[in-house]
Amino acid sequence: MSDDKKLTTRADNFSEWYNELVLRSELADYSPVRGCMVIRPHGYGIWERMQRALDDMFKATGHVNAYFPLFIPESFLSKEAEHVEGFAPECAVVTMGGGKVLEERLVVRPTSETIIYSMFAKWVQSYRDLPLLYNQWANVVRWEMRTRLFLRTMEFLWQEGHTAHATHDEAEEETRRMLGVYREFMEGYMAMPVITGQKTNSEKFAGALRTYACEAMMQDNKALQAGTSHNLGQNFAKAFDLSFQNEQGEQAFAWNTSWGVSTRMIGGLVMTHGDDAGLRLPPKLTPIQMVIVPIWKTEEERAATVEMAKRIADDLGSFKRPDHERIRVHVDDRVGVKPGAKYYHWELRGIPLRMEIGPRDLASNTGMLARRDTREKRPISFDTLRTELPVVLDLIQADMLAAARARVEANTIRERISYDKFKEVMDGPGAFVYAGWNGDPAVEQQVKEETKATIRVIPDLEYRSPEAPTTCMVTGEPAKYEVVWARSY
Amino acid sequence: MSDDKKLTTRADNFSEWYNELVLRSELADYSPVRGCMVIRPHGYGIWERMQRALDDMFKATGHVNAYFPLFIPESFLSKEAEHVEGFAPECAVVTMGGGKVLEERLVVRPTSETIIYSMFAKWVQSYRDLPLLYNQWANVVRWEMRTRLFLRTMEFLWQEGHTAHATHDEAEEETRRMLGVYREFMEGYMAMPVITGQKTNSEKFAGALRTYACEAMMQDNKALQAGTSHNLGQNFAKAFDLSFQNEQGEQAFAWNTSWGVSTRMIGGLVMTHGDDAGLRLPPKLTPIQMVIVPIWKTEEERAATVEMAKRIADDLGSFKRPDHERIRVHVDDRVGVKPGAKYYHWELRGIPLRMEIGPRDLASNTGMLARRDTREKRPISFDTLRTELPVVLDLIQADMLAAARARVEANTIRERISYDKFKEVMDGPGAFVYAGWNGDPAVEQQVKEETKATIRVIPDLEYRSPEAPTTCMVTGEPAKYEVVWARSY
Ligand SMILES: [Zn+2]
Ligand SMILES: [Zn+2]
């Protein structure tokens, strides 16, 4: 598809805008395998930066990486009753290997609780062996019928944390800590504001005691569950005999947690920041932070502007500088492509900064700097790039988060709302609606059927309304919880 | 298994020594899935450092990362005749998904040429779209009957480079360049000397024009194929219609290369450097570079030595310093474990340096530094740690490579050898034998059957003997090539 064809606009068709944008910005492509996507270099470059940032945060909180098998014996899944019920229908199953039919069929991991806790059981004897704080970067497979690039694919890339603790409280603390790490990452790196809180029983992970989640609001006012953290209690420990001798010399079952985020976050990045001209990538996660477009008419001018552009790029990206001062710059010196087409190309791909360097700029030692997020343009001296650009990039990062926060705020309803009005909102523009709920799963189910909205979370304290709702939005009965309703991906 | 039980020695049983060491040093463990292993944090920490170093080298040579599906439609494999013949017998096959029997069975990737070149065909139209220089970090599955931890497992982790070029010569240059990158990595990071060269036709990759390899000599004098780089010619381009319009406006098929290294290298690291006390890890790849063991009798001494140890560790590892001056230090302050047991623990795990800090050392501001590779011990002032340790670590890295080189040299036979003598050597101590070969595959096959030795490579120029052998070791006919014979993993 040619770059100069206009994107479908968000207002016209948000879903079509998303698909077109992911394909045309070359984040990903459809593959010949139904439901599986190819993550192209521009998309994978974002994922690499997400991985690096998260991995550093995991290590700073005491976790180590390891790797467990892709295949899980079918019998393992069945050992935890809720778990198998949740995952068995979604499994890809290997029945043949090395030309023979297998005695026991192997499931391609949809998640690794079973295989990992069976190994933990082998390694843990005493309280001295606890806690185990593990993480795994891996691919997983869930057989999905309706797939969307990044948001719901048969195979996806993720990290799954798995830990074992001596007590319930320590496990709960870990579950909450990692939810906090996710929030810090999503706001600090993705510039994507989230609300955190607990899932209702009907929405929790298959096999968990409690599930917590980060929920982000996309530009169509639907929620994206961007990360989850589970307190698994002793369910898996009992299923896999993960027990230990405690300080009192008694045998006890361990307490587990698991937590994960995936390439789905890239979809969240697109739907949080993209506009009708393309992606807008936050400086901390973009593979390229600034593109330089040299502008020329004559061959002489070409040589001079390209040379200056490359000198600047080399200097800004030099490994002689400390990490945080190094800037990832690309020079677009393609011959036979007009400057306007180059601008369009890099806007579509969301590169935060563009600097144009024309022949006259060489004399004045000044380029023209354009911000992708605000589209502001201003001259900038080559002499101050080193000191100014890191500041500009930090500012863009902060501005993007602030803009996203303002959008979420504008589309959040906290005032008391009738159920009729709620239906109108959900059928119309959508919103995050904070409202009272009587705690009855039947009411939750009714709202889901009538409006396609679900309880995203019982929000954490800091997100709750100053005055808690006193009545259930649907039944008028006394409210047990304040909850956040929204349609979701 | 307790740490204080002695390892089987290399002389006693090299193969048993290897298995025991991998398990007891906690690099890896057997899993409940036949043929699949678990890579434990100590092993995965080495792999992470291997990945980081290689990834930087790939990027410095212009490559980008991407991700392609785990599953390959069975029909894809069949499109390249030699390729399917080579890989089909080793495949794991998914026949069920989402509870239903699949219409087309899916193969779990044993390697990704087919799926990747089918996508390249979609992306490449013109010579302007070339070259494509891609790399993928992924897991692959090959159904192996006899497996060994790291060396041959059903699932393993690797990187696979895949490139497309406009001409044969450019593809050949890429193939050779990446072989060079592998050699640089293996010698520079793993301290594992290799010989490089071309595989004979019978040993080349299924579907390749030419295969090049890095071969390393293990301490039992057997060869380990540690990395391969393939010039695939136009075989896959023709099978997947990967064609483009060249500068002359004609349609032409692209030229492909692929190249890969895997977690197998960790096995190579163990068998290159390990001794009868455990692993010896090169400073550039070890997760921990120095362990500090505080030594105390009284509680007061414990507090003081542990505090000093932690202060030193924090200072040496501080992120305030540039990367190359930062040292990865671990303080072993476990209570109830004797210093001797701690020394044994970390020697088994191959940590390059150990510093002991006793109560009297606090007064003299001096610790006792022990090298794992040479077992030398000497006092070292706390004041000069910052400047001395990076030098010591570089020295260890260099000494380990030199020691390995000397060992390879001592077990290499370049003088003319009779086939009878050759059989004795192969049945006995083993060796890398440089000898003449008449180029006949039947001779190659005969030697393999009679001695279990194979031609590892037709060595590159720099490895060839000063005087090329003139006759074939087996037949006495004129030699067409000088080749390197050895038994191998
Ligand atoms: Zn359960
Ligand atoms: Zn072929």
Side-chain angles (χ1 to χ4, degrees), chain A residues 80-83 206-208 235:
Chain A
E80 211 292 327
E82 290 175 17
H83 193 67
N235 291 333

Side-chain angles (χ1 to χ4, degrees), chain A residues 47 50-59 61-68 112 116-117 120 123 132-138 158-164 174 178 181-182 228 257-262, chain B residues 38-41 44-45 48:
Chain A
W47 179 239
M50 288 179 161
Q51 284 188 300
R52 186 71 64 97
L54 284 163
D55 201 69
D56 285 348
M57 293 167 95
F58 298 158
K59 283 175 179 152
T61 45
H63 300 83
V64 289
N65 287 327
Y67 188 78
F68 295 83
S112 302
I116 291 182
Y117 299 135
F120 278 14
W123 299 331
L132 289 182
L133 304 173
Y134 277 43
N135 177 61
Q136 165 170 281
W137 291 98
W158 78 343
Q159 60 68 218
E160 46 183 324
H162 291 278
T163 68
E174 166 79 3
M178 299 323 288
V181 164
Y182 287 159
T228 49
T257 85
S258 69
W259 27 277
V261 292
S262 74
Chain B
V38 171
I39 307 179
R40 300 184 71 174
Y44 200 85
E48 283 180 277

Side-chain angles (χ1 to χ4, degrees), chain B residues 80 82 207 235:
Chain B
E80 211 290 328
E82 289 175 17
N235 291 334

Side-chain angles (χ1 to χ4, degrees), chain A residues 70-115:
Chain A
L70 170 69
F71 296 138
I72 298 178
E74 209 172 25
S75 60
F76 273 51
L77 269 198
S78 323
K79 289 195 183 176
E80 211 292 327
E82 290 175 17
H83 193 67
V84 66
E85 201 183 309
F87 284 104
E90 296 190 347
C91 283
V93 188
V94 174
T95 62
M96 305 264 308
K100 292 194 181 132
V101 173
L102 303 185
E103 284 181 34
E104 175 163 16
R105 312 196 308 175
L106 298 171
V107 164
V108 182
R109 65 180 162 223
T111 180
S112 302
E113 276 76 8
T114 58
I115 190 90

Side-chain angles (χ1 to χ4, degrees), chain A residues 226-276:
Chain A
T228 49
S229 185
H230 316 292
N231 183 335
L232 301 174
Q234 296 177 305
N235 291 333
F236 288 92
K238 286 176 181 163
F240 291 92
D241 196 22
L242 169 47
S243 62
F244 66 99
Q245 196 169 50
N246 66 20
E247 285 194 68
Q248 290 75 45
E250 301 149 351
Q251 278 303 112
F253 288 109
W255 298 80
N256 295 115
T257 85
S258 69
W259 27 277
V261 292
S262 74
T263 39
R264 174 171 237 225
M265 289 191 296
I266 299 175
L269 204 61
V270 174
M271 292 193 292
T272 295
H273 300 299
D275 66 16
D276 293 342

